[in-house]
Amino acid sequence: MYILNKKSYKRIACIFISIIFLLMPFSSTRAEFSLPETIKVGLYYSDPSVHVNTAVASFKVSAKAGLSVGFFKDNSFTSIYEDNSENVLIVRKDSYFTNSNGSLVEYSPETAPIPEGEKTGPFHILLGTGYPDLAAANEQIKAFVEKGIQAYPVFTDVWQIWSGFYADLDNARQEMINAAAALGEGAYEVVQPASNRIAVFSSTGKPLCIFGNDTAFFRIIPAQSNDPKVLSIDGKVYRGALEVRRLSGSDMTVINVVGLQEYLYGNVPPEIGGNSHPEALKAQALASKMYAVNNIGKHSKTGFDVCATTNCQVYKGYSVEIKACNDVINEIAGKVITYDNQLARQIYYFSSSAGRTEDSVNVWGYPHPYLKSVEDKYELVYSWTKTLRASDVKAKIPDIGNVLGMSILKTSEAGRVTQLAVRGDKRSDPAVYSLERCRTIFNLDSQMYTITTDADVYTSSKAAVPLKTQIGGKKVITSSGTKTINTSNNKVYVLGAGGKQKTVALVPETYVFSGKGWGHAVGMSQEGARSMGKAGFKYNEIITHYFLGTKIE
């Protein structure tokens, strides 16, 4: 018999508590942050608010081992048409087209003149009633084809079979009569045009299927046998799927639905250079990831998250991938930038800081705890110049009339222009621009610049450096008294050092902007990140240098 004493009880209790501790689920001190698995990237779309109009009426798509065309609904994909070859498919709006010498051109029947050539359109013939699934529809299509009717499957709210692409109602009605004569007794109906339909054709023009449903998304995905799973749209190769939408005012919008990690493969190389130092690549991948995550839904009105240009982040897909760069990106796959135990929601980067980044308050007007100006001493300084004529300035600011002058009113501690004044003869007060507008008004590379003109003269002063000024509108003392210099002639002769005479414009005709750096200068400098990587800094040190107080988790 085993007798328990107090010591035994304590020992058992300790063992029991230890077992409970071991069985408890492990809780890490690291906060768990939910990130999206996929991201939607706008490839072709229209958005007047950012002056973009790349939406298309048709495009060509292919994959080495074939494609599956269908729709995505309730987190599952349903196929409408499959091709296991490298055949090119043509995807286009179900609209009005004319074929002129093999080239398809969209037209509107209400707009004259209508182009010459063979015409097709969005009128169709419905053959029979609905079908329970695609297999049943395809079985019936075989019977129709044997009788000489070019039929194809359609998914609207139900599975249907249609025939023809007719440009007008009369032609469609006549062809419906012909189809009824060939097929015999049955249900036939002319299908009227609709703005939500997408049609798919073979490269020879044979209709393959139509999609027209408002509760599902039309998608094209690489067949499973593709390795890697990529597809080509008009010669550009992307991972993931293509989603196509018919949106009002955006023609046919084409979206790349791709995994977040795979998105970075096609984003990092064109942003910072795929052969940059590995630590700089990691920093860029992390900054790009945070920007993407923080901008999910930015373009929701056009059906996607981020665009593929500098209006968001540059993204060029599989075509620009570099294996070594992908490997480096994979090393930080689970990492995020945090601030105060939350995802850092304001992560930005740019090309070149010219030695010092800028405080967000001097660019966008709001302060932020980790978007402060920091020294960027490892960066190679990028210098630039831009010359504008007075007429160029007037074209940008037409309401001020003829331009009389331009001056910098304020600069930040880092040396960037934060207030710029432009004078014109139509206004008594100058047009004043602040913060980032000091750069964007004239499409300059950065806010760090000085301005010189052909009307500048330098006068002696008590200071060690001569004072720069302009003569136009200034008062001078003459033999007949004090007078204001008349600028109507716009030329004056001045006597310079050594008695040399010089012709000077009274009103500037050219403005030369001499600057340093490239971009808005808030957050991480890409040039600085590359230089810091070469100097031996790790990616986390690069990130925390540019984003004060942040952590990598």
Side-chain angles (χ1 to χ4, degrees), residues 93 165 268 309 315 374 438-439 477 482:
K93 298 164 56 178
F165 285 78
V268 173
T309 70
Y315 171 71
V374 299
C438 298
R439 170 175 71 98
I477 299 174
T482 302

Side-chain angles (χ1 to χ4, degrees), residues 106-141:
E106 187 183 11
Y107 72 93
S108 170
E110 288 83 30
T111 303
I114 295 176
E116 296 293 330
E118 180 186 357
K119 295 174 178 58
T120 59
F123 291 92
H124 313 276
I125 301 169
L126 171 63
L127 306 176
T129 55
Y131 295 83
D133 51 40
L134 177 62
N138 280 336
E139 190 64 31
Q140 184 60 58
I141 286 171

Side-chain angles (χ1 to χ4, degrees), residues 220-231:
I220 306 168
I221 63 175
Q224 285 298 317
S225 52
N226 282 281
D227 185 20
K229 289 184 173 56
V230 298
L231 44 71

Side-chain angles (χ1 to χ4, degrees), residues 381-553:
V381 176
Y382 164 73
S383 300
W384 55 269
T385 61
K386 183 171 186 175
T387 300
L388 296 178
R389 296 167 299 179
S391 58
D392 298 326
V393 177
K394 182 180 179 180
K396 293 285 187 181
I397 321 171
D399 63 324
I400 68 170
N402 295 316
V403 180
L404 300 179
M406 188 184 306
S407 57
I408 295 170
L409 301 182
K410 290 182 181 179
T411 59
S412 70
E413 290 184 9
R416 291 179 177 84
V417 179
T418 58
Q419 200 168 74
L420 177 70
V422 184
R423 294 181 292 109
D425 61 5
K426 281 190 177 180
R427 296 177 51 158
S428 58
D429 56 329
V432 177
Y433 300 92
S434 300
L435 307 180
E436 189 179 34
R437 195 67 175 138
C438 298
R439 170 175 71 98
T440 60
I441 182 64
F442 299 125
N443 195 28
L444 304 175
D445 286 352
S446 74
Q447 279 177 239
M448 187 179 285
Y449 58 82
T450 58
I451 306 171
T452 57
T453 78
D454 58 339
D456 293 343
V457 295
Y458 293 87
T459 61
S460 61
S461 67
K462 293 180 181 180
V465 180
L467 178 67
K468 185 178 78 170
T469 188
Q470 293 174 3
I471 298 175
K474 294 289 192 301
K475 295 183 181 297
V476 295
I477 299 174
T478 69
S479 57
S480 57
T482 302
K483 291 184 178 181
T484 301
I485 296 177
N486 187 347
T487 60
S488 59
N489 187 37
N490 199 32
K491 295 290 181 183
V492 70
Y493 297 102
V494 297
L495 200 62
K500 292 183 179 180
Q501 185 172 285
K502 180 182 178 182
T503 303
V504 177
L506 295 178
V507 176
E509 294 178 343
T510 60
Y511 296 85
V512 179
F513 298 82
S514 301
K516 296 178 181 179
W518 189 359
H520 52 66
V522 178
M524 185 184 81
S525 164
Q526 292 170 313
E527 182 60 44
R530 282 191 288 263
S531 297
M532 288 184 71
K534 292 176 183 178
F537 290 91
K538 301 299 183 182
Y539 80 95
N540 57 315
E541 295 173 308
I542 296 172
I543 291 294
T544 54
H545 168 73
Y546 288 110
F547 303 101
L548 299 177
T550 62
K551 294 180 180 179
I552 311 299
E553 296 193 57

Side-chain angles (χ1 to χ4, degrees), residues 135-147:
N138 280 336
E139 190 64 31
Q140 184 60 58
I141 286 171
K142 291 178 183 177
F144 290 155
V145 171
E146 288 176 358
K147 294 185 178 182

